[in-house]
Amino acid sequence: MTSPISLHDTGELLLPSPLQPFHPDWPGADKLNLFIKRDDLIHPVISGNKWRKLKYTFNALPAGCERIISFGGGFSNHLHACGFLCALSGLPFTAIVRGDYSTNLTPMLEDLYRWQADIHFVDKKTYKLRNDPDWLSSLSQRYPRSVTIPEGGSQHLALKGVAEIVEECDVKFDHVVVPVGSGATLAGLITALKKPQSATGIAVLKGEAYLESLVESLLPPDTAMPAWQIHHQYHCGGYGKAPEELKAFCNDMQRSYNIPVEPVYSGKMFAAVKDMIANCQFSSGSAVLLVHTGGLQGAR
């Protein structure tokens, strides 16, 4: 039986994460009250929303669990966090990775190997089976007494941890904005909001309707939720796509505001907010909470 995650006891977690006023020199920003929830500062490895989404999952592992299995790409923040937490807990970890990086390991994968993870590289066709019941059943047979965590940690246990972002805020805000990859962070925020607050997700991949369906699948059924939406025009061509203009924007965020961002998640979110402000998509005087979800593997 594994022991609960004990980072709280070691004092390694910065919680609640800092809530920082943000005063960029962007057109129209002076008409708003902007705040950044700096979840990127929670922990140097289990960065941002990964801790939020995984802590209740790990602390609810059944007695006799002998392995964790999960999925992600070569720069996956989720796999990185899972690998670290498994090493901390003394649990074997199997990472099923989209694409073959065996001859060109990313820094994230090098970390996983250092933490003794069992890594399997699979092609895109196989990776698409990650939610297929029959394939998941075969994994369970191959690895008895294992627990499989969905890609990105997106499951109902994640929502409770994400909701704590809102609970920690000691300022009133009208809107919250967050990048969206697998849907759980946006879903968790929605469950914590009170009308007339609203949530906006910034899609970091091509997934119109698909991302909405992921979020809806995690929300409580037959329950009236605060208003929410996902903007799909800021993914820059797809997941992991980073045109030079976006890279320059990320560098400017670090240089001008001392806020580290990367072009996969947080960079796209902040760039989208800049554009939304310029196009007057927030009412003058509104308070807007920007959630920096951390996950800086894409910057490595």
Side-chain angles (χ1 to χ4, degrees), residues 170-240:
D170 56 2
V171 300
K172 294 183 178 180
F173 61 89
D174 303 294
H175 313 285
V176 60
V177 186
V178 65
V180 179
S182 57
T185 303
L186 178 57
L189 290 170
I190 294 167
T191 64
L193 297 180
K194 305 295 183 184
K195 295 179 181 180
Q197 291 176 311
S198 66
T200 296
I202 305 300
V204 302
L205 50 86
K206 293 180 179 179
E208 191 164 359
Y210 167 71
L211 290 178
E212 281 83 354
S213 69
L214 290 180
V215 174
E216 289 168 355
S217 70
L218 292 167
L219 293 175
D222 303 319
T223 303
M225 290 284 117
W228 63 277
Q229 62 182 333
I230 299 177
H231 287 323
H232 292 274
Q233 66 268 43
Y234 299 109
H235 55 62
C236 298
Y239 184 74

